[in-house]
Amino acid sequence: LGLIGNDGAGHTVADRLGLLPLAVDPAPFAEISELADSDVWLSLRLDDVAAIFIETPELFPPALRPRLSRTLGCPARELARMQHRLARLKQTVKAAFAAVDLLLVPAQSAPAGFVNACGLAAIALPDGTALVGPGGSDDRLADAATILAEMCIAPPVDIATAWPLARP
């Protein structure tokens, strides 16, 4: 079981699942989450509405207008740079999953950004932690969450959905 962070709860979960705990560098996961939140990704979807936004920005929600304005000013090279960086980080994440079966992510790490961007599977637990696995490992994650529930560790409440552009 890969652990982001080094708290006793992660070691307890690993013991209860019968897995060996292994520390995993959180840096690439955090960077992917940060990249996934960037406004530059809006540029991929902005072509259809750019003219309307430029002519009548009041048609768009006030909270979205600054993001769209920044995106219109974003050079294509910035998008290309971020796509290239994301591809390299995905390789790092793939290598991490070569060493671990599942990853236990603490609540404060908010895994949705990297889970979706990397095409991973995840199940959230009520305490805010998440079990993350390779894409297609939903059944294994559900089984692990069930084991945790049977051992009096909080039962699962939500399965993170796959990002629409993630590989099947």
Side-chain angles (χ1 to χ4, degrees):
L1 177 69
L3 304 175
I4 291 183
N6 190 17
D7 63 358
H11 290 276
T12 300
V13 169
D15 289 344
R16 292 193 175 168
L17 292 175
L19 299 172
L20 179 66
L22 177 67
V24 174
D25 180 12
F29 298 95
E31 188 174 349
I32 289 171
S33 292
E34 188 176 315
L35 281 174
D37 285 341
S38 173
D39 293 338
V40 73
W41 302 111
L42 289 173
S43 65
L44 298 171
R45 295 172 182 86
L46 193 57
D47 288 344
D48 296 335
V49 298
I52 297 168
F53 177 71
I54 290 168
E55 292 173 17
T56 52
E58 65 276 1
L59 294 177
F60 294 81
L64 184 59
R65 291 178 203 159
R67 291 186 70 194
L68 292 174
S69 293
R70 284 191 301 271
T71 301
L72 283 173
C74 180
R77 70 181 179 280
E78 179 65 12
L79 175 61
R81 184 189 70 77
M82 291 184 78
Q83 287 173 324
H84 183 70
R85 180 66 183 147
L86 181 60
R88 287 194 317 251
L89 288 166
K90 283 181 176 181
Q91 291 301 317
T92 302
V93 168
K94 184 177 180 181
F97 276 102
V100 299
D101 296 313
L102 300 173
L103 182 65
L104 182 68
V105 181
Q108 66 272 20
S109 294
F114 74 79
V115 167
N116 292 336
C118 294
L120 302 173
I123 189 163
L125 303 173
D127 66 356
T129 60
L131 289 172
V132 178
S137 65
D138 303 73
D139 290 341
R140 180 160 188 183
L141 292 170
D143 290 344
T146 300
I147 290 169
L148 295 176
E150 290 170 356
M151 298 177 144
C152 299
I153 292 180
V157 293
D158 185 30
I159 296 178
T161 58
W163 187 39
L165 300 178
R167 67 180 191 277

